[in-house]
Amino acid sequence: MTMHDFVIGGQWLFLTYFVGINLGYLLQNVIAAIGIRKYLQTAEQYEAENVFSSLDIPITIIVPAYNESASIITSIKALLQLEYPQFELVVVNDGSSDDTLERLIEAFDLREFPEAYRASIKTASVRCIYRSTKARNLRVVDKQNGGKADAINAGINASRFPLVCVVDADSILQSDSLGRVVRPFLEDPTTIAVGGTVRIANGCTVRLGFLEKVALPRNFLALIQVVEYLRAFLFGRMGWSPINGLLIISGAFGLFRKETLIEAGGFNPKAIGEDMELVLRLHRTMKEKGEPYRITFVPDPVCWTDAPEKLGDLSKQRVRWQHGLGEALAMNRSLIGNRDGGVVSWLAIPFYVFFELLGPIIEVLGYVFILICAWFGWLTFPEAFIFLGLAIGLGVLLSTSAIMLEELSFHMYPKFSQLLTLYSVAILENFGFRQLNSYWRFKGLVRWLVGAKHQWGSITRSTSLADQ
Amino acid sequence: MELLFQSEFNTVTKFALWTITGVIVTTVVLFFYTVGLRFATNTERKRRKCFLEKWRDVFAAAALSRDAALLLELPRLVESEHAHLLEEWNLARSIVFGDAADNLIVLAGRIGIAEIAGELLEMHRVQSKIVAVQTFGHLGDKQRFDDVHALLDDLNTALSITAATSLVEIRANRGIEIVVPMIAKRRDWPRNRVSILLREAGSDLISEPMYRNIRSASDDDKKYLMQFARLMESEVRDALVEELIRETEDPGLLTSALKLVSGYRGVPRIVALTQHKAWFVRMQAAKVLGRIGQREHLGLLESLLEDTEWWVRYRAAQAITSLPFLGPNELRQMQQRQKDRFAIDILQHSFAEVGLL
């Protein structure tokens, strides 16, 4: 093989890959656009009669907390005010080393309660269960440290209701979020899990744990994440949901049928990406049982979360996500090519393996390949420019279509200047940030391959939820 | 640019060049489309705001006074406002009752709302049809009963359930006879909307058709329909529940029926169900025995404190704690005589819940 053949072969490989991945995303975009349109048509009708009935299913909200002293009181107060007919709140203090528990005891007048706790899922030992004398539907489980997944499992064990909603302690929920995500459970009894859209709270005005005004962040990294989240949720998730191929429900907010959750073994404390691992395991459990089921996504922006504003924090997060992705797919590898696996086994997982998991390798190699070829003169500079331009152009196209989906649906950023800012970011993120993100994901992939360990992540938050 | 395309690139580079051109064109088109959407949305919002300013006061005044409904000067209406008008009128009509509702119907007659709804019904857009069907329902337009009936089988869930609601609004008796048999077939209808429809129709009207349909349905359909049985009149419901508990062995159906037991009918069968192999049937049976509150069942409830399933133990403990003839001392004595650790724990839990510790 001559150098010329090598360069041509390389060019075809990377070009096919880039076009393939982006065609996949664009297809998701089309499915998402149809799905959102259908969802909005019916939602509009139901909104007028959004009356809670006795048929609404009671929900247990589980809030795992580890060293959340700064924001826990505001979060819990806000959660207690959610609009839903019947829900209970189970806060799980996962052996915090700060004064999270003491603050909860004081703020909600917690008293020890001799609860006959049943360990349907094995967890680190539970030290005590408290009940609030101020809020009848609030309980706090104090347990030894075992990680986020372990804390959620303890919450599942303590829960009383058939649906469990897992919420991050620093998440800000829309007051009607439970009513929105419960809808698929009411409409289709085979629904076992529902995820909702998570948006970036940085820059927004938060008052007493609720979102008062939506705005774009000033921090550039957070701004980039606004566009990323639009892409990830509006077509990344919405594109898979109508064909029952959804592989991830964000750990920040998800609603599950408890019975199925326990049957599947709960959240896996050994998994870094415990949210994705769980959804994959739910698919596996249901396929093994051979029962019809649905894992659904509602596009409504129901949950707002703080995005990291520092490069170091963002790097840690992305490395962890990629590590978690590899691990979750490996743990559920029996789904791949499963004869009865349907869309999940034959479409969604292969897509995730080739494009989401291995994507960073191809992307990083692609950039290196073009630079080397240009440096040694195997590619002319115009040719190198065309290939780099294509990679960037496809990235901008995807972001543009995500912004269009947002415009077609929820208009969370109503000012014209906000629209222009989003477009500018969609272009600018391709110069530097995208390459950096590929590197972080590459690093995460390597960490997974070498079997590195991970614990509760802690990143510096913007102050939106600090107790007011 | 032209030079770029004519240059001596190899095939792969040319392919990349064409692709990037397509990508740029698509991106620019999407950008302008999105900007156009933003302008259209803003314009539509302004137009709607302007419309509301004109009409909301008219609807409010008409609802409050029949004279106003008959004599009020109406704002000029343009065709592009027809859909907004119906939406707003429906909204106003859905929140008022009695005379106010009649006044709004009088006003609707003056505006020609029925005719406008007829036009919207002919449109292709599903949203227009939904608004039209809703309007016929709120108007009680008997002439449109068959048109609305025809949409009951529509594949669009929102349109179909709206048609069901309107049928009952137009002719309650006939509507209910048509809609009730559809409930089990249309599982896509949101259950809270079905529940609202039945509740608004009234328990006296729905009880007989519900009873007949549940009795003749398959076990699976029975289970589904039983969710709405609590909206029936208590006498009919109690009879239905007793018959189901007596006849069925299906655990799901037994659970649905046990949830609705309110009297003392069929107690021997309920006692037998505390030994059922499905834990959720045992749990419901324990709950019912607690509600019935007879001393003769105390021993049985006590034995359920040792059940293998937490929920059965929990409900049995709650049932025991709520028995009216057991005071705190007797309850504590009962706890002390338990030998099983699970029974002791669950009683402790239940006592703490009612402040007995």
Side-chain angles (χ1 to χ4, degrees):
Chain A
M1 190 164 76
T2 63
M3 186 53 71
H4 179 258
D5 292 339
F6 173 73
V7 172
I8 295 290
Q11 283 177 332
W12 272 119
L13 176 75
F14 293 119
L15 184 67
T16 311
Y17 183 83
F18 273 103
V19 173
I21 187 172
N22 285 287
L23 277 180
Y25 285 137
L26 287 175
L27 191 63
Q28 281 180 36
N29 220 304
V30 174
I31 298 173
I34 297 167
I36 290 175
R37 195 180 139 83
K38 197 175 160 196
Y39 178 83
L40 289 174
Q41 267 180 359
T42 49
E44 205 174 302
Q45 270 306 302
Y46 300 146
E47 215 111 285
E49 293 175 65
N50 192 11
V51 186
F52 298 116
S53 78
S54 57
L55 295 169
D56 280 325
I57 312 169
I59 294 174
T60 299
I61 302 173
I62 298 172
V63 186
Y66 176 72
N67 290 351
E68 297 282 356
S69 169
S71 61
I72 192 78
I73 306 302
T74 306
S75 301
I76 302 303
K77 279 184 180 166
L79 288 170
L80 285 168
Q81 290 176 59
L82 288 177
E83 293 165 13
Y84 196 73
Q86 197 182 0
F87 72 92
E88 62 165 0
L89 198 54
V90 176
V91 182
V92 186
N93 176 46
D94 190 43
S96 297
S97 53
D98 66 359
D99 61 345
T100 302
L101 182 65
E102 289 70 25
R103 295 205 66 192
L104 283 166
I105 290 174
E106 193 192 333
F108 299 102
D109 195 16
L110 299 179
R111 303 282 165 89
E112 285 188 26
F113 182 77
E115 182 151 323
Y117 175 83
R118 74 216 134 105
S120 307
I121 306 168
K122 213 174 165 190
T123 66
S125 92
V126 170
R127 293 192 281 236
C128 185
I129 296 179
Y130 297 88
R131 279 179 79 162
S132 166
T133 56
K134 284 189 177 168
R136 275 178 60 87
N137 56 344
L138 170 65
R139 282 180 294 149
V140 173
V141 177
D142 180 35
K143 66 180 276 290
Q144 284 181 351
N145 182 266
K148 184 180 174 185
D150 195 65
I152 299 170
N153 287 340
I156 296 169
N157 287 339
S159 67
R160 304 250 171 95
F161 294 141
L163 296 182
V164 291
C165 179
V166 181
V167 177
D168 274 353
D170 54 359
S171 291
I172 302 159
L173 300 192
Q174 300 276 119
S175 59
D176 60 351
S177 52
L178 292 180
R180 287 174 189 271
V181 288
V182 84
R183 202 183 290 156
F185 285 97
L186 298 172
E187 288 170 4
D188 183 352
T190 65
T191 303
I192 58 167
V194 175
T197 298
V198 178
R199 296 280 179 108
I200 301 292
N202 307 49
C204 300
T205 312
V206 180
R207 197 174 140 72
L208 300 173
F210 283 108
L211 205 68
E212 200 171 60
K213 190 180 160 204
V214 175
L216 288 173
R218 287 170 178 226
N219 177 282
F220 185 65
L221 273 184
L223 253 179
I224 288 177
Q225 290 171 82
V226 171
V227 177
E228 276 189 311
Y229 273 53
L230 286 181
R231 277 201 308 260
F233 284 92
L234 281 183
F235 71 77
R237 312 261 162 103
M238 201 57 205
W240 287 113
S241 176
I243 51 174
N244 208 19
L246 193 66
L247 295 192
I248 184 161
I249 285 175
S250 169
F253 186 87
L255 187 61
F256 303 88
R257 198 176 286 283
K258 187 172 76 177
E259 210 181 334
T260 320
L261 212 51
I262 292 174
E263 208 175 326
F267 283 77
N268 185 345
K270 288 179 184 155
I272 290 168
E274 72 284 334
D275 43 8
M276 182 177 192
E277 198 284 326
L278 173 73
V279 177
L280 282 165
R281 194 147 34 79
L282 286 175
H283 277 295
R284 189 152 57 87
T285 307
M286 297 309 287
K287 303 250 179 242
E288 281 165 8
K289 281 173 71 181
E291 285 178 14
Y293 71 98
R294 278 205 67 81
I295 296 178
T296 310
F297 180 77
V298 290
D300 289 277
V302 288
C303 174
W304 297 73
T305 189
D306 257 354
E309 293 189 342
K310 290 180 180 164
L311 215 51
D313 288 336
L314 190 60
S315 151
K316 273 190 228 165
Q317 185 193 56
R318 297 306 157 94
V319 169
R320 192 175 74 240
W321 284 0
Q322 194 68 15
H323 187 164
L325 171 67
E327 194 184 66
L329 288 168
M331 282 176 169
N332 295 280
R333 58 188 172 276
S334 65
L335 271 173
I336 301 173
N338 184 323
R339 200 180 54 176
D340 305 316
V343 170
V344 172
S345 294
W346 294 98
L347 205 61
I349 292 186
F351 185 88
Y352 268 77
V353 170
F354 287 113
F355 296 129
E356 300 289 355
L357 182 67
L358 303 177
I361 300 178
I362 310 281
E363 199 153 327
V364 169
L365 283 180
Y367 289 126
V368 173
F369 175 80
I370 290 172
L371 290 175
I372 289 176
C373 288
W375 181 261
F376 287 105
W378 303 329
L379 270 182
T380 62
F381 275 102
E383 282 173 327
F385 180 75
I386 288 169
F387 283 104
L388 283 174
L390 181 61
I392 289 165
L394 284 166
V396 176
L397 175 61
L398 289 178
S399 299
T400 306
S401 55
I403 297 169
M404 183 197 69
L405 282 182
E406 160 67 6
E407 192 59 30
L408 276 170
S409 51
F410 301 105
H411 316 282
M412 296 309 289
Y413 307 104
K415 290 182 188 164
F416 196 73
S417 59
Q418 290 172 325
L419 191 64
L420 290 182
T421 307
L422 289 176
Y423 273 114
S424 312
V425 172
I427 295 168
L428 290 174
E429 66 162 338
N430 289 285
F431 301 95
F433 177 78
R434 191 171 148 190
Q435 293 72 21
L436 201 55
N437 194 25
S438 294
Y439 167 69
W440 291 331
R441 290 171 65 203
F442 184 78
K443 208 169 141 186
L445 194 59
V446 173
R447 279 180 69 89
W448 165 59
L449 288 170
V450 300
K453 290 196 171 178
H454 200 88
Q455 290 184 323
W456 271 85
S458 69
I459 57 170
T460 315
R461 305 282 182 187
S462 75
T463 53
S464 58
L465 252 185
D467 287 344
Q468 296 131 346
Chain B
M1 194 68 186
E2 202 178 327
L3 278 175
L4 200 60
F5 280 94
Q6 287 168 356
S7 56
E8 294 289 311
F9 291 139
N10 58 31
T11 317
V12 59
T13 314
K14 278 185 179 159
F15 179 72
L17 192 58
W18 280 110
T19 311
I20 196 173
T21 310
V23 165
I24 291 169
V25 170
T26 315
T27 306
V28 171
V29 169
L30 283 183
F31 171 76
F32 282 109
Y33 177 66
T34 309
V35 171
L37 267 178
R38 172 62 58 97
F39 275 119
T41 310
N42 288 349
T43 312
E44 179 63 19
R45 274 190 189 152
K46 276 182 199 156
R47 198 192 288 172
R48 185 160 190 126
K49 196 176 163 212
C50 189
F51 169 84
L52 287 179
E53 278 167 10
K54 280 194 295 181
W55 283 92
R56 271 223 170 129
D57 291 345
V58 175
F59 290 144
L64 289 172
S65 143
R66 194 173 183 83
D67 287 345
L70 284 166
L71 304 169
L72 209 65
E73 191 182 336
L74 300 177
R76 204 170 68 87
L77 185 67
V78 293
E79 203 178 329
S80 60
E81 292 175 336
H82 281 177
H84 291 330
L85 178 79
L86 258 59
E87 282 165 20
E88 282 306 312
W89 185 83
N90 279 327
L91 183 66
R93 171 64 190 80
S94 65
I95 54 176
V96 297
F97 300 95
D99 288 346
D102 293 341
N103 293 345
L104 281 178
I105 292 173
V106 169
L107 179 74
R110 284 184 63 208
I111 302 171
I113 274 184
E115 290 74 24
I116 294 172
E119 286 166 21
L120 289 187
L121 189 69
E122 299 305 317
M123 287 186 176
H124 183 64
R125 205 168 154 251
V126 175
Q127 194 61 29
S128 305
K129 286 184 194 290
I130 291 173
V131 175
V133 168
Q134 212 171 27
T135 310
F136 294 138
H138 285 151
L139 284 170
D141 192 339
K142 291 187 172 52
Q143 289 176 334
R144 289 291 187 169
F145 188 88
D146 291 337
D147 292 335
V148 176
H149 188 186
L151 294 170
L152 199 62
D153 290 322
D154 198 279
L155 289 177
N156 184 293
T157 304
L159 181 55
S160 164
I161 184 68
T162 309
T165 310
S166 292
L167 276 184
V168 177
E169 279 185 286
I170 298 171
R171 281 191 180 146
N173 273 316
R174 212 178 134 199
I176 277 294
E177 289 292 343
I178 294 168
V179 169
V180 169
M182 293 286 292
I183 295 173
K185 288 179 198 154
R186 291 302 297 249
R187 302 274 178 111
D188 58 321
W189 286 355
R191 287 184 283 178
N192 59 343
R193 287 202 63 181
V194 175
S195 169
I196 292 165
L197 183 159
L198 294 173
R199 197 174 56 222
E200 287 185 353
S203 58
D204 53 333
L205 203 66
I206 65 164
S207 294
E208 276 306 309
M210 283 290 285
Y211 176 85
R212 267 186 279 116
N213 276 277
I214 293 175
R215 291 295 292 155
S216 60
S218 66
D219 272 2
D220 187 43
D221 285 350
K222 274 192 180 100
K223 266 184 275 187
Y224 188 75
L225 290 168
M226 281 301 283
Q227 302 171 87
F228 309 106
R230 68 176 72 247
L231 299 166
M232 295 161 66
E233 282 180 325
S234 58
E235 269 184 34
V236 185
R237 186 184 60 222
D238 288 349
L240 174 72
V241 165
E242 192 201 349
E243 286 163 17
L244 289 179
I245 289 176
R246 196 175 57 232
E247 292 165 7
T248 187
E249 281 305 324
D250 182 291
L253 189 53
L254 276 171
T255 309
S256 313
L258 283 169
K259 279 182 186 169
L260 295 173
V261 172
S262 61
Y264 295 88
R265 291 182 182 190
V267 173
R269 170 72 172 149
I270 295 168
V271 167
L273 290 177
T274 57
Q275 309 303 317
H276 198 277
K277 61 179 187 299
W279 68 264
F280 42 91
V281 176
R282 297 199 299 278
M283 176 188 75
Q284 288 299 337
K287 210 172 158 185
V288 174
L289 290 183
R291 211 157 47 216
I292 292 170
Q294 299 291 302
R295 193 176 279 277
E296 61 190 281
H297 301 134
L298 184 58
L300 185 59
L301 286 171
E302 215 175 319
S303 69
L304 290 177
L305 293 172
E306 296 178 20
D307 196 282
T308 50
E309 178 60 40
W310 188 91
W311 273 106
V312 181
R313 298 199 297 274
Y314 179 57
R315 291 295 182 212
Q318 278 188 322
I320 289 170
T321 314
S322 68
L323 290 173
F325 50 83
L326 286 183
N329 288 335
E330 285 156 302
L331 286 171
R332 281 189 204 106
Q333 280 165 12
M334 177 190 281
Q335 191 191 22
Q336 280 159 11
R337 71 169 174 261
Q338 299 302 316
K339 294 197 172 61
D340 185 89
R341 186 176 62 83
F342 291 106
I344 297 167
D345 282 357
I346 206 74
L347 277 175
Q348 184 82 351
H349 180 137
S350 186
F351 293 171
E353 277 188 340
V354 294
L356 263 180
L357 289 179

